[in-house]
């Protein structure tokens, strides 16, 4: 192999749940230069990639138009010959109806080094996510994986039928048919005409392991009419044919999760949204991360740098957000200093998330209010305000209530801006339509500005949305903007917010 060439990794992305990618697959995504991903692979997997990586959707489900197999092969090879490492991220497993062999042939012909990383194919995931066992000692001792979509060559419209339907009809086990929605009439009739009983149970599972997973049960004889009556059952759908379909339990861990089937939009910036989204997904929600604002460091650090070099002269350092902690501490490190600059200064955090952010840098908050925001912190500090020196680490767009209260109590305040919040120009039109059409069950806001900017982006449709917020000041901002349905967490913490969301949907 030519060492100046890049290497191509063919990676199985799994059926949908981003947690089902292998450790090896995630490791590769973190270091490659280029990612070519199927539209049916979960976009959340792209969080593993480098910020400067070239990321291209090769189709299958829209995004950027459908690529032919020859175009995919050409792109992989061109990037590799240019010295770039390439991840070819494929939905499911690399060996099950994924055309991996064709890609390998093309790579070998071009003398490009490659590695294949297996994934979990949808058929093997369905038992865990639906409760339908593929095998059972009394009902099925074998499994057949079948493509129900005839594959013409690129550019052709005709396809031959190479499947032995008589053998499949007599198969003594479970049939799992991939890509079979549009051809359901064809293959169900073929099975029945070759001896398969029309009463054979069938389960159609759409988007296996995704939060909006759906299961439809019928019989083989009713399959075509069932799909027709659904009027719009879209891929990806897997069809399970066999007696094992009736063995699924009436309740199941995946569908019984408290937020299963709920679509929530988290409008916070990634630093806070990622953790919250993970908690909501664990409880079954389909989460869209759509920040309403961007967070960036200030362009001029002069004032902040002066404060950092004299940090030990302050009695209290007040942090009001996770972003303030991150940008402030990172600036300390950029200046070649470390946490010793704090000296004997005491540290206060507004909210549990901010306290935890300090903990990442081995800084302990000396005071964190259990409820509320800056106002509650000031109440705790009231007796210590007089003649004490305070440094407020903040953003220019932040509230001034706490600063004014400290000054009124006789404290000396220095305030520094370490980051800026800028509202995004717009949200995708597809998401706006989902809000207007009632396809979103709730929007989550973790700060006043997130709430305010989200309302601006949604316009009047914000008035009719279900809002879930961390604190009462955020709720008041929304109510002042004529939002009618606002649920507030009992405590300003993510666990409390998630509990409030669950309780709201149970009501």
């Amino acid at each position: 192999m030519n060492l100046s060439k890049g290497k191509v990794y063919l990676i199985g992305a799994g059926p949908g749940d981003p947690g089902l990618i292998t450790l090896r697959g995630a490791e590769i995504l973190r270091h490659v230069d280029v990612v070519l991903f199927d539209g049916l692979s979960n976009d959340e997997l792209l969080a593993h990639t480098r910020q400067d990586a070239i990321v291209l959707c090769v189709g299958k489900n829209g995004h950027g138009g459908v690529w032919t197999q020859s175009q995919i092969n050409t792109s992989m090879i061109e990037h590799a010959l240019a010295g770039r490492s390439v991840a070819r991220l494929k939905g499911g497993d690399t060996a099950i109806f994924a055309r991996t062999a064709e890609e390998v042939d093309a790579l070998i012909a071009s003398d490009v080094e490659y590695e294949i990383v297996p994934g979990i194919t949808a058929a093997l995931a369905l038992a865990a996510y639906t409760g339908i066992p593929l095998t059972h000692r009394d009902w099925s001792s074998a499994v057949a994986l079948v493509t129900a979509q005839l594959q013409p060559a690129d550019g052709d419209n005709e396809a031959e039928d190479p499947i032995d339907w008589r053998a499949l009809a007599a198969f003594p086990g479970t049939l799992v048919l991939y890509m079979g929605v549009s051809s359901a009439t064809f293959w169900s009739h073929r099975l029945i005409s070759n001896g398969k009983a029309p009463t054979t149970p069938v389960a159609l599972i759409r988007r296996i392991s995704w939060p909006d997973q759906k299961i439809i049960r019928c019989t083989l004889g009713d399959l075509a009419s069932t799909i027709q009556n659904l009027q719009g059952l879209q891929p990806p759908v897997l069809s399970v044919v066999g007696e094992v379909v009736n063995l699924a339990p009436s309740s199941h861990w995946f569908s019984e999760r408290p937020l299963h089937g709920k679509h929530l939009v988290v409008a916070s910036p990634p630093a806070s949204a990622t953790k919250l989204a993970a908690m909501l997904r664990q409880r079954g929600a389909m989460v869209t991360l759509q920040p309403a604002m961007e967070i960036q460091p200030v362009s001029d650090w002069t004032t902040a740098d002066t404060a950092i070099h004299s940090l030990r002269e302050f009695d209290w350092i007040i942090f009001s957000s996770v972003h303030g902690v991150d940008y402030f501490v990172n600036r300390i490190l950029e200046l070649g200093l470390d946490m010793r600059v704090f000296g004997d200064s005491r540290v206060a955090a507004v909210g549990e998330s901010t306290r935890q952010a300090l903990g990442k840098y081995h800084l302990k908050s000396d005071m964190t209010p259990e409820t509320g925001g800056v106002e509650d912190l000031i109440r705790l500090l009231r007796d210590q305000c007089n003649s004490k020196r305070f440094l407020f680490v903040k953003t220019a767009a932040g509230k001034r209530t706490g600063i004014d209260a400290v000054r009124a109590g006789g404290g000396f305040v220095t305030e520094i801006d370490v980051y800026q919040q800028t509202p995004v120009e717009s949200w995708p039109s597809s998401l706006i339509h989902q809000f207007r059409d009632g396809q979103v069950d709730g929007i989550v806001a973790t700060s006043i500005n997130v709430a305010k900017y989200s309302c601006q982006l949604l316009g009047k449709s914000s008035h009719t949305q279900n809002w879930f917020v961390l604190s009462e000041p955020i709720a008041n901002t929304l109510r002042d903007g004529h939002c009618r349905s606002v649920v507030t967490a009992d405590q300003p913490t993510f666990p409390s917010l998630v509990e409030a969301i669950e309780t709201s949907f149970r009501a």
Side-chain angles (χ1 to χ4, degrees):
M1 294 291 180
N2 188 334
L3 295 180
S4 64
K5 296 177 182 177
K7 183 175 180 179
V8 174
Y9 300 88
L10 307 171
I11 305 172
D17 184 336
L20 295 183
I21 193 170
T22 64
L23 292 174
R24 177 59 177 157
E27 175 190 21
I28 292 169
L29 287 177
R30 283 192 287 270
H31 73 75
V32 292
D33 303 308
V34 181
V35 179
L36 305 176
F37 70 99
D38 281 351
L40 292 180
S41 58
N42 196 323
D43 288 358
E44 291 178 38
L45 293 174
L46 302 179
H48 293 291
T49 63
R50 294 175 3 212
Q51 287 190 344
D52 62 340
I54 300 170
V55 179
L56 299 170
C57 179
V58 299
K60 309 289 187 184
N61 193 31
H63 290 289
V66 177
W67 293 30
T68 65
Q69 187 61 56
S70 60
Q71 288 174 320
I72 295 171
N73 294 348
T74 298
S75 183
M76 287 192 302
I77 293 167
E78 286 180 347
H79 283 297
L81 294 180
R84 303 184 188 99
S85 55
V86 181
R88 170 72 176 98
L89 193 60
K90 307 161 76 70
D93 175 60
T94 50
I96 307 296
F97 308 126
R99 304 185 76 167
T100 298
E102 299 171 50
E103 295 175 352
V104 167
D105 287 344
L107 294 171
I108 292 175
S110 297
D111 194 29
V112 173
E113 185 180 3
Y114 69 93
E115 177 182 332
I116 300 176
V117 181
I120 297 176
T121 189
L124 299 186
L126 76 86
Y129 285 83
T130 67
I132 299 173
L134 291 182
T135 63
H136 191 280
R137 63 184 300 175
D138 297 325
W139 298 102
S140 175
S141 58
V143 180
L145 306 183
V146 185
T147 175
Q149 177 176 312
L150 305 181
Q151 292 285 352
D154 286 341
D156 290 345
N157 294 320
E158 300 296 329
E160 296 181 358
D161 181 5
I163 297 175
D164 186 342
W165 293 103
R166 178 175 296 180
L168 283 181
F171 184 74
T174 305
L175 302 179
V176 181
L177 293 99
Y178 286 68
M179 302 171 284
V181 172
S182 61
S183 60
T185 299
F186 168 79
W187 61 260
S188 61
H189 287 174
R190 284 296 183 97
L191 287 172
I192 292 171
S193 63
N194 281 280
K196 197 75 172 174
T199 56
T200 304
V202 176
L204 303 172
I205 304 102
R206 182 176 185 270
R207 286 169 61 85
I208 291 169
S209 81
W210 293 77
D212 58 345
Q213 172 181 291
K214 186 175 184 179
I215 305 173
I216 301 103
R217 291 179 172 84
C218 60
T219 64
L220 189 61
D222 294 333
L223 177 62
S225 60
T226 297
I227 292 178
Q228 184 177 5
N229 290 336
L230 289 171
Q231 295 180 350
L233 184 65
Q234 298 295 319
V237 176
L238 217 62
S239 305
V240 183
V241 181
E243 298 301 326
V244 293
V245 169
N246 288 335
L247 300 178
S250 57
S251 62
H252 188 255
W253 72 269
F254 187 69
S255 58
E256 292 296 313
R257 293 179 300 172
L259 297 178
H260 178 72
K262 301 300 181 183
H263 181 194
L264 299 173
V265 173
V266 177
S268 306
S272 55
T274 302
K275 180 179 179 181
L276 178 57
M279 296 173 67
L280 294 170
R281 289 189 181 107
Q282 288 173 2
R283 287 155 178 79
M286 180 173 66
V287 180
T288 297
L289 293 180
Q290 195 63 59
M293 65 184 185
E294 296 177 345
I295 305 294
Q296 297 176 331
V298 293
S299 56
D300 184 358
W301 284 93
T302 304
T303 303
D305 288 349
T306 300
I308 288 172
H309 285 294
S310 58
L311 205 56
R312 60 182 63 240
E313 298 178 10
F314 293 96
D315 298 293
W316 282 94
I317 318 297
I318 312 296
F319 292 95
S320 59
S321 72
V322 172
H323 307 296
V325 172
D326 288 337
Y327 284 114
F328 186 75
V329 173
N330 286 331
R331 185 59 180 176
I332 290 174
L333 300 177
E334 287 174 2
L335 293 174
L337 305 171
D338 58 31
M339 300 307 106
R340 287 175 292 183
V341 296
F342 281 86
D344 294 330
S345 300
R346 304 184 73 186
V347 176
V350 177
E352 179 62 20
S353 296
T354 307
R355 185 192 68 79
Q356 292 177 4
L358 286 166
K360 291 190 308 181
Y361 304 102
H362 306 288
L363 292 169
K364 181 180 178 181
S365 174
D366 297 294
M367 189 174 291
T368 304
E370 294 184 2
T371 61
V374 175
E375 296 86 346
D376 297 278
L377 179 61
I378 299 308
R379 278 192 284 272
L380 293 174
L381 290 170
R382 183 172 296 154
D383 295 337
Q384 305 186 42
C385 284
N386 190 35
S387 301
K388 295 293 180 67
R389 296 193 63 187
F390 292 80
L391 176 66
F392 277 76
V393 181
K394 52 184 277 296
T395 173
K399 292 179 63 178
R400 301 193 55 80
T401 308
I403 295 172
D404 295 338
V406 169
R407 284 188 173 132
F412 301 99
V413 174
T414 298
E415 49 186 295
I416 58 172
D417 298 331
V418 297
Y419 68 99
Q420 51 192 351
Q421 300 173 336
T422 307
V424 299
E425 291 185 4
S426 63
W427 276 348
S429 59
S430 58
L431 181 62
I432 298 297
H433 287 308
Q434 287 180 343
F435 275 112
R436 292 174 180 171
D437 295 342
Q439 298 177 32
V440 176
D441 296 293
I443 181 168
V444 184
T446 54
S447 75
I448 289 175
N449 283 338
V450 166
K452 181 173 68 175
Y453 296 148
S454 297
C455 285
Q456 292 173 0
L457 291 162
L458 289 173
K460 290 185 178 180
S461 66
S462 65
H463 302 171
T464 57
Q465 303 302 321
N466 296 317
W467 292 85
F468 301 99
V469 301
L470 265 179
S471 65
E472 197 59 33
I474 305 173
N476 290 336
T477 298
L478 290 168
R479 294 186 186 106
D480 290 343
H482 307 290
C483 297
R484 296 190 291 270
S485 176
V486 183
V487 174
T488 308
D490 291 336
Q491 305 289 333
T493 65
F494 286 170
S496 180
L497 178 57
V498 172
E499 183 179 354
I501 294 172
E502 291 181 6
T503 300
S504 174
F505 286 121
R506 281 198 300 266

